[in-house]
Amino acid sequence: MQRRIRRRYGAERRFKLLGLCAVLVSAGFLAFLLVTMFLNGASGFTQSEIKLPIDFPRSSVMLDPALLTGKDADAALAAAGLEKATDDAAVAAFGPGGDKLLSDGAWLRVRDSVKADPTLLATRAVISVPASAAIDIAVKGEGGADAEKLAARLQARGLMTTGFNPWFLTNSDSTDPTMVGIWGALKGSLFTMLVTLLLAFPIGVLSALYLEEYAPRNRWTDLIEVSINNLAAVPSIIFGLLGLAVFLGTFNLPRSAALVGGLTLALMTMPVIVIAGRNAIKSVPPSIRDAALAVGASPIQVVFHHVLPLALPGILTGTIIGMARALGETAPLLMIGMRAFMVSPPERLTDPSTVLPVQIFLWSDQVNRGFVEKTSAAIIVLLVFLLAMNGLAIYLRNKFETRW
């Protein structure tokens, strides 16, 4: 008897130990992911800049400062020859090949400075412009030997600084890693999630209410329930093929648009909302319904005045978790063409756009080493977005949760 008791206690201790090991392994993988992403991506939020002296009166810039106050300021700046003037200034300041020290988009920083202060055109100004990707990587300790020597020389002369890169959060995609940003992809993700939420949430909640409160229990209802449960486990690329065939092939909706992406992700998210909604509605005690009916409430009033508000925390939690899953999906959006090169953020739901996961996928395929840190930095932004959504789910659950 004592031996059997010891064996039973030993089995219980081993089970607890295995559970603890499983939790520690999971936490270890999560910590490894977060630490790796932070170490690789933190430098993506910084940028090295070179102080470039430009003698505008002696440069090739042909621009009347009076034009910068009108509506045609952008057109005048585009035709003023600022790109050539920037390269000439770099060669004059740093010698032959000096223009290679600068980013390909360095002249855009000069353009913005002139647009903000037209009086620069009458002076010899020093403007901080982004360094080339090779110099930027060298400053961060991962570049080639020649680039590190050049960077060290510029730092010794006090011509180089490294600081926070706000343009990474405000620019869109580019072929130059020093000029890329995530705002275009982030805005596309917001538009896509908005369409997904507006379509999937009401249809999913109403479907859950009907199936749980009104649907008769027969063979057809069982078939629908099994189908919804199976749809929640279907690979996401299948929904991409469905969106490609229906929305693009049949309804001829615009390709690469956030509208089509949202419709496709709504198809994928809806079964998750239905299942979570049914479980939340089922958890409302029958006594709530009986009490409401006893005081004269109609069945519709029972559902919308009592059952639905009490089930709302569970529904919202399931909805936001489903939305978080949709935000991280890439395969269905690749099928509908949301992998195009977008240099400007979308203004409407029908404009061509991309999303954060697809942007990360495209950058990870780039040969230029400058995109490595940008890819990790974009992953950090995506993780922050996901954590914010999950935090919102926890807040809503705690705010509306009712304990029986």
Side-chain angles (χ1 to χ4, degrees):
M1 185 64 182
Q2 292 296 329
R3 187 179 301 172
R4 290 179 56 189
I5 293 175
R6 283 197 299 272
R7 281 204 303 267
R8 188 171 63 185
Y9 286 164
E12 186 174 355
R13 286 194 296 272
R14 287 193 295 273
F15 178 76
K16 289 181 179 179
L17 183 61
L18 288 175
L20 179 61
C21 290
V23 172
L24 292 177
V25 169
S26 302
F29 276 112
L30 179 61
F32 177 78
L33 171 67
L34 295 178
V35 171
T36 303
M37 287 299 104
F38 180 77
L39 293 179
N40 292 335
S43 59
F45 293 97
T46 62
Q47 187 177 57
S48 301
E49 294 183 338
I50 296 176
K51 297 178 180 178
L52 177 66
I54 303 180
D55 193 350
F56 283 103
R58 295 185 179 181
S59 68
S60 58
V61 176
M62 304 294 294
L63 182 62
D64 183 0
L67 295 176
L68 299 180
T69 58
K71 297 180 180 178
D72 298 329
D74 292 337
L77 284 167
L82 287 172
E83 186 172 4
K84 183 178 183 305
T86 302
D87 292 342
D88 292 343
V91 172
F94 309 118
D99 55 329
K100 304 298 181 185
L101 300 177
L102 309 183
S103 164
D104 293 339
W107 72 277
L108 296 174
R109 192 71 60 79
V110 177
R111 181 199 63 182
D112 295 340
S113 299
V114 171
K115 186 177 181 181
D117 185 7
T119 60
L120 293 177
L121 293 172
T123 62
R124 183 179 184 277
V126 177
I127 301 175
S128 294
V129 297
S132 66
I135 297 296
D136 186 45
I137 295 173
V139 171
K140 296 168 183 173
E142 299 179 357
D146 294 339
E148 289 186 357
K149 289 180 181 178
L150 288 172
R153 194 180 308 163
L154 291 172
Q155 287 177 323
R157 295 171 59 186
L159 296 175
M160 176 170 286
T161 58
T162 301
F164 178 66
N165 179 18
W167 292 274
F168 180 69
L169 302 177
T170 57
N171 286 354
S172 294
D173 200 5
S174 172
T175 56
D176 185 354
T178 62
M179 302 301 295
V180 296
I182 59 161
W183 174 237
L186 185 60
K187 194 173 181 181
S189 293
L190 290 173
F191 279 179
T192 303
M193 289 298 102
L194 178 65
V195 175
T196 303
L197 179 64
L198 293 179
L199 187 66
F201 182 72
I203 296 178
V205 173
L206 291 176
S207 300
L209 279 175
Y210 176 79
L211 290 174
E212 198 59 36
E213 297 290 330
Y214 299 104
R217 302 300 173 192
N218 54 33
R219 186 177 303 173
W220 291 107
T221 306
D222 294 339
L223 179 62
I224 292 173
E225 291 179 0
V226 172
S227 300
I228 291 174
N229 292 334
N230 288 333
L231 279 175
V234 168
S236 59
I237 197 168
I238 302 300
F239 292 99
L241 291 171
L242 180 63
L244 176 65
V246 176
F247 302 128
L248 298 184
T250 303
F251 296 106
N252 294 319
L253 293 177
R255 191 177 183 85
S256 305
L259 175 64
V260 180
L263 290 171
T264 304
L265 293 181
L267 294 175
M268 189 187 71
T269 308
M270 214 177 300
V272 178
I273 297 178
V274 173
I275 294 172
R278 292 192 63 191
N279 291 331
I281 293 169
K282 196 181 297 183
S283 65
V284 177
S287 58
I288 300 293
R289 299 173 177 81
D290 297 338
L293 291 172
V295 297
S298 67
I300 292 291
Q301 289 174 322
V302 171
V303 170
F304 286 96
H305 294 180
H306 301 277
V307 176
L308 186 58
L310 293 174
L312 196 58
I315 295 175
L316 290 176
T317 302
T319 300
I320 294 178
I321 290 175
M323 294 288 294
R325 178 197 170 195
L327 176 65
E329 284 293 343
T330 304
L333 301 179
L334 292 177
M335 295 302 298
I336 61 173
M338 293 189 74
R339 58 165 300 167
F341 179 72
M342 300 297 170
V343 296
S344 58
E347 299 297 331
R348 297 181 295 273
L349 295 178
T350 54
D351 289 345
S353 61
T354 186
V355 292
L356 271 175
V358 176
Q359 188 71 83
I360 292 169
F361 169 74
L362 295 177
W363 286 354
S364 67
D365 202 32
Q366 295 288 333
V367 177
N368 195 319
R369 290 181 58 192
F371 279 100
V372 174
E373 61 178 18
K374 303 300 180 185
T375 303
S376 298
I379 292 174
I380 291 176
V381 174
L382 180 61
L383 288 175
V384 170
F385 201 163
L386 290 171
L387 289 175
M389 294 185 68
N390 282 280
L392 178 63
I394 295 172
Y395 169 76
L396 292 173
R397 184 184 62 194
N398 293 336
K399 182 176 178 62
F400 296 105
E401 186 176 23
T402 301
R403 298 185 184 277
W404 315 109

